[in-house]
Amino acid sequence: MAAPATPVMQQHAAAKRGYPDAIVFFRLGDFYEMFGDDALLAAPLLELTLTSRNKGKPGEIPMAGVPYHAATSYIARLLELGHKVAICEQMADPSKTKGIVPRQVVRVITPGLVTEREYLDAASNNFLAAAELSGAQVGFALLDFSTGELRAAELTDAPMLLAELTRSRPRELLLGAEPGAAILAAARALGRTVVREDAALETAAEDEALGTLARDAQALSPPARRAVARVLRFARACNPGAELPARRIGRWQPSSLLAIDRVAQGHLELVESVSGNRAATLLGVIDATETAMGARLLKRRLLAPLTDVTRIRRRLDLVEAFLVHPRLREPLRQSLAAVGDVERLSVRAALGEATPRDLGALRDGLIAAHGALTLLEAVSDPSLRETLGLGAAVDTVDDLREVLVAALVERPPVQPKDGEIFRAGFDQELAELAELRRSGGEKMVELEARLRKETAIPTLKIRYTRVFGWYIEVSRGQASRVPAEYRRKQTVATGERYTTPELDELADRITHAEELHRERELGLLAKLLETAARSSDRLQTLAARLARWDVAAALAEVAHRYDYCRPSVDDSDVLLLRDGRHPVVERLAARGRFVPNDVSLDLEAERLWLITGPNMAGKSTLLRQTALSVILAQMGSFVPARSARVGVVDRVLSRVGASDNLSAGESTFMVEMRETAEILRSATRRSLLIVDEIGRGTSTFDGLSIAWAVAEYIDEALGCRALFATHYHELTALGDSGRHVANYSVSARELEGDIVFLHRLVPGAASRSYGVAVAKLAGLPEVVLARAKALLLSLEGEAGEPMAAMKIAHAADDQLNLFGARSTDHKLHSEVIELLRALEIDRLTGLDALQLLARLKTKI
Ligand code: ADP
Ligand code: MG
């Protein structure tokens, strides 16, 4: 039986009851302590020593603690692992409280609800999301608690949800008790997201959760409304008493955005590279933003390009304006560099969490923002003003800036106790208290000098410690010379400590002045915070405008630095890139060594380009650069080309053959086929398809047949713009058959058995695959190369026929009939062998086996 708990442990039990799924950080003096299961769970995760409270007595309980001033890094580690942390604080000053200090959970920190810089990536949003299924519809809500942005959308199916989850990468996702299999599967596909089951939400509770946003929510569909209510309820429960930073519900229409699905996002290395090197991503190349807001906006735009021509052009106009006016762009960027993260700072102010240091940063940001605006306002040309969005006045929150400038010292401390916060002349009363404190200090110095003289002890000192207060210290050898009226306080290693009535009185006066000073200072700080909090809406608006200028100026800077051109964007079915380059590869290549290439797709003419060429020739690079340029153009950026025309694309779909895409776990071929199936299902006439060497993950004949059928399907059934790289030469037959298919190849030249890559795209199929030459380049031994060459010659001589057979079969009959009339015994054998080789017996059911036997029999 458990022993009766002490009052403190009863407080802890109450906190734990309120937040059973959180690790409770229970403030005891200078420590946050964890007890019981929390301690057992967290101690090993945080490498803390596990001790216990009430050791050896009834009521002994495991305990582990961290110093309160170092809590942040420990909390960060727990959040990283997906845990929630409830902060239970002392609600009164223990030194002034009789009996037990009241304690209360003031905040629950979860990965999706953090506002501290230490827990956040400055260049990324940190979303808490909720998805709600109703019929076939999915309501989806995103809240970035750190910036106050709240948005909702209606999605029509689970794949769309997966696309939106991929775009936003929420840190935390709330799902109802029975979210449905499709939603669960989508949620699981995301790596880092913490998925939480959220309690049932009654309609009445929904209204309550929406609070003042209920009116805004009227326009939403029921599932979207419910999703918004979920994130708000969760945020409220975690921040008891705080007013949430979200002030409006934004909406977005996924159908008005360019869809880039998860696989394409990874394959194209938009924001993450396979190697983990950020510089090797598109974002790494184009992110020249100067503010954190700008960096976040740029990333969001990159993952959510537009499909609306007018909006795209408007963005391009702004970039162009900054490009052609370097004398505006350059100083503006300099000003923006000093703006900092006004957006997140304003939220911290609104939540009352801003430290004096934060307020100082906000002040500096507002000064810089004011400077930036002054530069822009100097523009007189009306049309340029219009492009810059200066039609309506921009509120730079000058009143708050002036207050902060008048109030704060140059660099305020993080904690009030660590230094002065306010300027000397800011507050009369504070100045008087400071003077009192200072003169008290001076009087102590005087007293010390006088006592030294009176006692004739030259080493006599007056000192202060937090625990003992003020005292006179005399070394042991001198103790006999101390006057009798001195009262002994303490003996220490270095000597004896005393006090006198005079010292006590002076000490009281100083302490009192200090206390009053501190109180006054905290009072002023609270008032200042309140002023900042009242401005937070205006600060958010300002931050959003600064972010847009920052992004446009950054894209202009990139266009200038790397010589990008303005794409002409329209609703046509054309995709034309003259001298297009790969934005990332060209940066990594030696200067001037990247070979530009043209791509020209048109639904009415050549819509599917079949690209052949040896390994390492540059096929994949060409495919990716084309997709990247479309994404850049539609997000409103210039593109790496001499000229470009982009008929708006609705989705970019990209698939890579298994051996180019080493994913673990599942059979790579299975993954490849599943992904291929997915793109064939979701592509429309307006999509851009990038298919890179599919069919590699299986035997030659399987692979060739599948690649062939896929290419045909793209051309005939989908009829969209597509680039198709393949090492199957046989496929080039499709280009001769009067379809919308054209053959191109990336050229290489063979010089005395050595291969020279030209990286130049030319019309027509590649003449041969140069495999042996590439092998030589890779350093295969001479004997092996010689043998391979001999084999190649004999194979080409004797057995060109599987390939020839295909061409003939294809020409004779438009249906895919790979293994039809002309098959020879040789081919048949290898085919049967291939089939058997590909068999995974232990995965075979009895029925499968019978069917396979039947298939083999019909073949022979
Ligand atoms: P493939 O897909 O044909 O095997 P890749 O596209 O992977 O070839 O290109 C191989 C390498 O060749 C790339 O890593 C890059 O360094 C270089 N490369 C590709 N295209 C070009 C180009 N246009 N100009 C210069 N170098 C290129
Ligand atoms: Mg390749």
Side-chain angles (χ1 to χ4, degrees):
M1 228 189 78
T6 61
V8 168
M9 290 317 290
Q10 281 171 6
Q11 282 183 336
H12 178 267
K16 191 69 196 169
R17 262 197 310 279
Y19 302 91
D21 60 344
I23 295 173
V24 174
F25 269 43
F26 189 79
R27 182 73 179 266
L28 275 180
D30 283 345
F31 278 80
Y32 285 115
E33 300 289 359
M34 289 163 274
F35 295 110
D37 290 345
D38 288 350
L40 293 174
L41 170 69
L45 299 178
L46 300 176
E47 292 160 47
L48 298 173
T49 318
L50 192 65
T51 58
S52 61
R53 192 173 167 93
N54 302 325
K55 205 175 190 76
K57 291 185 220 148
E60 176 171 346
I61 183 167
M63 173 171 101
V66 302
Y68 86 98
H69 57 81
T72 312
S73 67
Y74 291 104
I75 294 173
R77 266 149 79 189
L78 291 175
L79 294 181
E80 195 51 46
L81 296 166
H83 294 290
K84 284 180 180 175
V85 178
I87 306 292
C88 187
E89 282 295 350
Q90 297 175 163
M91 303 307 286
D93 186 341
S95 65
K96 289 185 185 159
T97 315
K98 287 209 186 79
I100 181 170
V101 191
R103 290 188 175 81
Q104 206 175 311
V105 172
V106 292
R107 190 179 160 207
V108 181
I109 310 179
T110 82
L113 288 176
V114 289
T115 54
E116 288 83 356
R117 214 186 346 243
E118 292 85 348
Y119 307 138
L120 290 163
D121 168 13
S124 301
N125 278 110
N126 192 63
F127 288 119
L128 167 71
E132 195 76 29
L133 186 73
S134 159
Q137 270 218 329
V138 183
F140 187 56
L142 286 172
L143 170 68
D144 185 337
F145 197 71
S146 68
T147 64
E149 288 157 288
L150 172 63
R151 294 183 296 143
E154 276 103 40
L155 314 176
T156 47
D157 53 22
M160 208 164 179
L161 173 65
L162 182 55
E164 291 308 313
L165 287 171
T166 306
R167 240 196 260 288
S168 52
R169 292 282 160 147
R171 191 65 186 83
E172 205 163 355
L173 173 64
L174 306 177
L175 300 176
E178 279 163 35
I183 289 192
L184 268 183
R188 271 200 215 100
L190 299 165
R192 222 168 78 97
T193 306
V194 180
V195 181
R196 281 192 208 289
E197 185 183 313
D198 195 40
L201 185 62
E202 309 299 332
T203 314
E206 213 175 294
D207 290 334
E208 194 190 320
L210 289 166
T212 51
L213 291 166
R215 283 190 66 169
D216 246 25
Q218 275 170 6
L220 301 174
S221 70
R225 187 175 187 275
R226 183 167 280 255
V228 171
R230 272 202 196 283
V231 293
L232 289 175
R233 179 176 69 170
F234 188 81
R236 268 214 189 94
C238 290
N239 293 271
E243 197 177 326
L244 298 188
R247 300 291 155 75
R248 63 189 73 82
I249 306 174
R251 297 180 64 185
W252 84 101
Q253 220 82 53
S255 60
S256 71
L257 300 176
L258 171 64
I260 309 168
D261 69 6
R262 189 172 49 93
V263 183
Q265 200 192 97
H267 176 213
L268 296 172
E269 300 185 301
L270 298 183
V271 296
E272 272 162 31
S273 69
V274 176
S275 64
N277 173 11
R278 188 175 177 274
T281 65
L282 181 59
L283 182 63
V285 170
I286 64 166
D287 185 2
T289 55
E290 296 284 2
T291 70
M293 295 86 79
R296 291 192 290 270
L297 180 64
L298 183 77
K299 182 174 176 184
R300 237 163 51 204
R301 285 191 178 172
L302 174 57
L303 294 176
L306 304 172
T307 53
D308 181 87
V309 171
T310 317
R311 287 178 67 197
I312 295 170
R313 285 185 188 152
R314 216 179 297 138
R315 285 188 187 173
L316 288 168
D317 286 343
L318 189 55
V319 177
E320 183 169 345
F322 282 125
L323 180 69
V324 300
H325 293 102
R327 270 187 292 179
L328 182 59
R329 180 179 83 240
E330 282 157 15
L332 177 72
R333 284 168 50 74
Q334 265 169 30
S335 291
L336 289 172
V339 163
D341 203 338
V342 169
E343 190 175 32
R344 280 184 172 157
L345 287 171
S346 79
V347 168
R348 291 177 52 74
L351 290 168
E353 285 171 7
T355 64
R357 169 88 32 99
D358 288 338
L359 290 175
L362 185 57
R363 169 201 57 197
D364 298 343
L366 286 174
I367 293 172
H370 181 73
L373 243 296
T374 311
L375 287 166
L376 291 170
E377 286 294 351
V379 172
S380 54
D381 173 25
S383 93
L384 181 55
R385 286 186 67 87
E386 162 109 33
T387 306
L388 291 170
L390 295 169
V394 178
D395 175 10
T396 39
V397 203
D398 298 340
D399 44 346
L400 177 63
R401 186 188 75 238
E402 280 157 18
V403 171
L404 292 172
V405 167
L408 297 171
V409 298
E410 187 67 29
R411 196 173 149 72
V414 177
Q415 305 278 349
K417 66 170 173 48
D418 291 339
E420 299 295 333
I421 299 172
F422 294 101
R423 278 179 186 286
F426 173 61
D427 181 69
Q428 185 64 34
E429 194 181 327
L430 191 68
E432 280 165 19
L433 291 169
E435 173 56 27
L436 215 63
R437 196 178 54 173
R438 196 189 56 75
S439 69
E442 261 171 22
K443 291 221 172 71
M444 273 300 175
V445 178
E446 282 166 22
L447 179 65
E448 187 187 60
R450 208 180 74 221
L451 293 183
R452 270 185 199 162
K453 225 193 235 148
E454 281 176 12
T455 58
I457 306 174
T459 55
L460 179 147
K461 292 179 287 200
I462 294 184
R463 288 287 178 270
Y464 172 84
T465 66
R466 205 183 259 270
V467 181
F468 291 103
W470 292 93
Y471 54 84
I472 300 164
E473 188 172 312
V474 172
S475 65
R476 191 152 304 151
Q478 309 283 333
S480 59
R481 298 164 67 178
V482 166
E485 67 266 27
Y486 281 26
R487 189 159 53 77
R488 199 155 77 200
K489 252 183 134 175
Q490 195 194 10
T491 302
V492 291
T494 45
E496 302 287 341
R497 291 178 176 177
Y498 304 90
T499 183
T500 68
E502 193 185 2
L503 176 66
D504 285 347
E505 198 205 306
L506 187 54
D508 269 359
R509 263 167 54 200
I510 293 178
T511 315
H512 190 59
E514 229 152 41
E515 233 159 63
L516 289 177
H517 183 271
R518 192 177 141 74
E519 262 165 35
R520 178 76 189 163
E521 196 176 54
L522 289 180
L524 289 171
L525 182 61
K527 239 168 77 192
L528 197 59
L529 255 174
E530 222 170 86
T531 313
R534 269 200 307 276
S535 310
S536 72
D537 268 10
R538 292 161 63 207
L539 289 169
Q540 305 269 46
T541 310
L542 173 65
R545 306 207 57 166
L546 292 170
R548 288 201 291 274
W549 283 314
D550 189 17
V551 165
L555 291 175
E557 178 68 25
V558 169
H560 165 73
R561 250 186 238 165
Y562 305 144
D563 195 21
Y564 290 5
C565 76
R566 176 172 175 147
S568 129
V569 178
D570 55 33
D571 276 317
S572 72
D573 295 323
V574 173
L575 174 55
L576 180 70
L577 294 164
R578 285 236 177 286
D579 285 342
R581 287 127 43 205
H582 191 298
V584 179
V585 176
E586 78 163 339
R587 298 267 61 81
L588 304 177
R591 204 181 159 74
R593 293 300 295 275
F594 192 88
V595 181
N597 277 305
D598 295 349
V599 167
S600 165
L601 302 175
D602 186 343
L603 282 200
E604 299 314 315
E606 298 179 352
R607 62 185 173 217
L608 192 161
W609 276 21
L610 211 58
I611 297 165
T612 44
N615 263 326
M616 293 299 288
K619 301 182 294 297
S620 299
T621 305
L622 179 83
L623 262 55
R624 288 176 206 193
Q625 77 191 35
T626 306
L628 291 177
S629 285
V630 167
I631 289 170
L632 281 170
Q634 291 188 211
M635 76 176 275
S637 166
F638 283 31
V639 300
R642 192 154 53 81
S643 72
R645 179 174 173 204
V646 177
V648 163
V649 164
D650 69 347
R651 44 190 74 210
V652 169
L653 297 156
S654 137
R655 287 306 178 270
V656 204
S659 53
D660 269 21
N661 187 12
L662 299 169
S663 51
E666 213 166 355
S667 136
T668 50
F669 181 62
M670 184 66 191
V671 175
E672 183 186 329
M673 285 303 107
R674 180 174 305 149
E675 290 177 1
T676 305
E678 206 176 292
I679 64 170
L680 296 185
R681 238 189 346 251
S682 54
T684 76
R685 246 183 111 256
R686 304 226 62 173
S687 304
L688 175 66
L689 241 64
I690 298 293
V691 184
D692 198 354
E693 307 263 23
I694 61 156
R696 267 218 226 171
T698 185
S699 71
T700 309
F701 289 120
D702 266 0
L704 173 53
S705 334
I706 290 165
W708 191 305
V710 168
E712 271 187 353
Y713 185 84
I714 294 173
D715 178 38
E716 288 167 12
L718 300 176
C720 63
R721 288 164 283 178
L723 293 178
F724 197 109
T726 183
H727 59 289
Y728 296 120
H729 280 255
E730 299 71 28
L731 272 191
T732 55
L734 281 171
D736 312 327
S737 54
R739 301 160 181 272
H740 296 286
V741 180
N743 284 319
Y744 284 83
S745 58
V746 190
S747 56
R749 190 176 294 147
E750 205 175 327
L751 271 178
E752 295 162 6
D754 284 323
I755 188 160
V756 182
F757 296 113
L758 303 176
H759 302 304
R760 171 112 31 230
L761 192 69
V762 292
S767 50
R768 47 185 301 190
S769 91
Y770 303 90
V772 175
V774 174
K776 177 174 176 189
L777 195 70
L780 229 55
E782 246 347 294
V783 265
V784 179
L785 288 172
R787 174 72 181 135
K789 253 183 234 164
L791 282 170
L792 179 65
L793 282 178
S794 77
L795 284 174
E796 278 178 346
E798 130 211 342
E801 77 278 3
M803 315 311 175
M806 269 186 189
K807 284 188 187 172
I808 291 160
H810 187 74
D813 171 6
D814 231 345
Q815 289 299 304
L816 184 69
N817 183 2
L818 287 176
F819 311 114
R822 292 268 310 219
S823 65
T824 62
D825 277 352
H826 166 82
K827 192 165 91 56
L828 186 61
H829 288 160
S830 57
E831 202 186 324
V832 170
I833 288 167
E834 286 290 354
L835 255 174
L836 291 173
R837 203 171 267 151
L839 259 189
E840 289 186 61
I841 304 237
D842 44 3
R843 291 205 181 177
L844 216 57
T845 65
L847 185 62
D848 288 344
L850 285 177
Q851 282 172 343
L852 181 78
L853 273 178
R855 251 169 82 201
L856 289 175
K857 187 142 188 247
T858 27
K859 269 187 203 307
I860 56 172

